[in-house]
């Protein structure tokens, strides 16, 4: 059984950083890719970055280059993403998702990050 | 960046009807195309991968087809629980990235 358990909701000030974690099971981090996808209120899904099966280092969507850090601790099965220099437009639900080939077959429940002064 | 365009944006239908959703890519993605269903307050659920393969546990009324730039998701007979938002998604090899379509909302008529 595969589980992706995310950390709890966060409220952050503009200009600060947020770190969201994703505790995985089922050998996810050793055998599969893991990505971060976000969804602003009432909007669609947006891939932010993650490990692609063909690469062992994270890849990032261009708009998040320089602001997004993705780490993975394979010994504990925990992946994390840290987004810096937050602005109000970063208010969203952030999901971790397991990449299996070209798709995402398992998703965390999501973490709401609210950026507000 | 490969852009995925879904149509229509919204569909109003009744249970029992057949529906076909469209997803068009700005350049060929081969068959690296997936479909997801998302209900309010829930994470997306994988329905179809590699354009036409049903994910584990997905009912047979869901089917996907297409290759290259044009793809469709068909629900043969709408059930009440199928009213949701549907997204298509592709993975490109270079640059290595994933993109989603903007979604089609399927609502009850």
């Amino acid at each position: 059984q595969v589980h992706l358990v995310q950390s709890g909701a966060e409220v952050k000030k503009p200009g600060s950083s947020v770190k969201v974690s994703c505790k995985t099971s089922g050998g996810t981090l050793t055998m599969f890719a893991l990505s971060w996808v976000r969804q602003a209120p009432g909007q669609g899904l947006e891939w932010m970055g993650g490990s692609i099966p063909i690469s062992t280092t994270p890849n990032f969507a261009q708009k998040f280059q320089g602001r997004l850090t993705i780490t993975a601790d394979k010994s504990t099965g925990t992946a994390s993403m840290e987004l810096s220099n937050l602005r109000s437009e970063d208010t969203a639900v952030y999901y971790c998702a397991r990449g299996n080939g070209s798709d995402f077959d398992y998703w965390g429940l999501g973490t709401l990050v609210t950026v507000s002064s | 960046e490969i852009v995925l365009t879904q149509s229509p944006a919204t569909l109003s239908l009744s249970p029992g009807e057949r529906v076909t959703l469209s997803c068009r890519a700005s350049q060929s993605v081969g068959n690296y195309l997936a479909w997801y269903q998302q209900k309010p307050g829930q994470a997306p659920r994988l329905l179809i991968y590699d354009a036409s393969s049903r994910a584990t546990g997905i009912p047979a009324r869901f089917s996907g087809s297409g290759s290259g730039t044009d793809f469709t998701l068909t629900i043969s007979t709408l059930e009440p629980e199928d009213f949701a938002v549907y997204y298509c998604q592709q993975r490109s090899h270079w640059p290595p990235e994933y993109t989603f379509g903007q979604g089609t909302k399927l609502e009850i008529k």
Side-chain angles (χ1 to χ4, degrees):
Chain A
Q1 187 74 314
V2 177
H3 295 285
L4 303 178
V5 180
Q6 297 187 223
S7 51
E10 303 263 12
V11 179
K12 294 292 182 179
K13 300 283 190 191
S16 66
S17 299
V18 68
K19 189 170 186 176
V20 178
S21 66
C22 175
K23 172 76 171 169
T24 71
S25 65
T28 292
L29 293 188
T30 55
M31 294 188 288
F32 296 89
L34 191 109
S35 277
W36 293 90
V37 176
R38 76 177 186 180
Q39 186 170 37
Q43 303 301 309
L45 301 168
E46 180 178 35
W47 180 76
M48 301 175 67
S51 57
I52 306 287
I54 58 173
S55 171
T56 58
T57 56
N59 294 274
F60 303 95
Q62 190 168 6
K63 70 179 289 186
F64 298 106
Q65 294 271 5
R67 243 188 1 125
L68 179 62
T69 303
I70 290 174
T71 57
D73 184 340
K74 293 183 180 180
S75 66
T76 63
T78 301
S80 299
M81 76 93 190
E82 184 169 16
L83 189 62
S84 63
N85 194 19
L86 291 169
R87 33 223 190 218
S88 59
E89 310 88 87
D90 295 317
T91 293
V93 175
Y94 290 76
Y95 295 100
C96 58
R98 189 178 87 164
N100 186 7
S102 299
D103 53 84
F104 303 114
D105 57 355
Y106 288 94
W107 295 66
L109 295 181
T111 296
L112 175 62
V113 174
T114 303
V115 182
S116 173
S117 55
Chain B
E1 175 186 317
I2 296 176
V3 176
L4 298 178
T5 302
Q6 292 187 240
S7 60
T10 306
L11 263 178
S12 298
L13 294 168
S14 301
E17 292 194 82
R18 177 185 178 92
V19 62
T20 298
L21 311 182
S22 173
C23 177
R24 176 163 290 178
S26 59
Q27 61 190 83
S28 176
V29 299
N31 70 334
Y32 293 136
L33 197 286
W35 290 93
Y36 301 83
Q37 176 194 68
Q38 188 180 33
K39 297 180 180 178
Q42 296 185 15
R45 176 173 72 144
L46 177 67
L47 299 175
I48 301 289
Y49 64 95
D50 292 347
S52 60
S53 296
R54 266 191 306 277
T56 303
I58 301 303
R61 65 180 181 272
F62 291 91
S63 63
S65 65
S67 67
T69 60
D70 291 296
F71 300 87
T72 59
L73 172 70
T74 299
I75 309 173
S76 59
T77 306
L78 278 169
E79 297 288 342
E81 62 266 28
D82 298 337
F83 292 91
V85 180
Y86 291 83
Y87 295 95
C88 58
Q89 168 258 313
Q90 68 84 29
R91 188 196 90 180
S92 60
H93 286 279
W94 192 260
E97 64 181 15
Y98 300 86
T99 53
F100 291 88
Q102 82 279 19
T104 290
K105 182 179 182 179
L106 190 54
E107 60 181 28
I108 298 177
K109 190 172 184 179

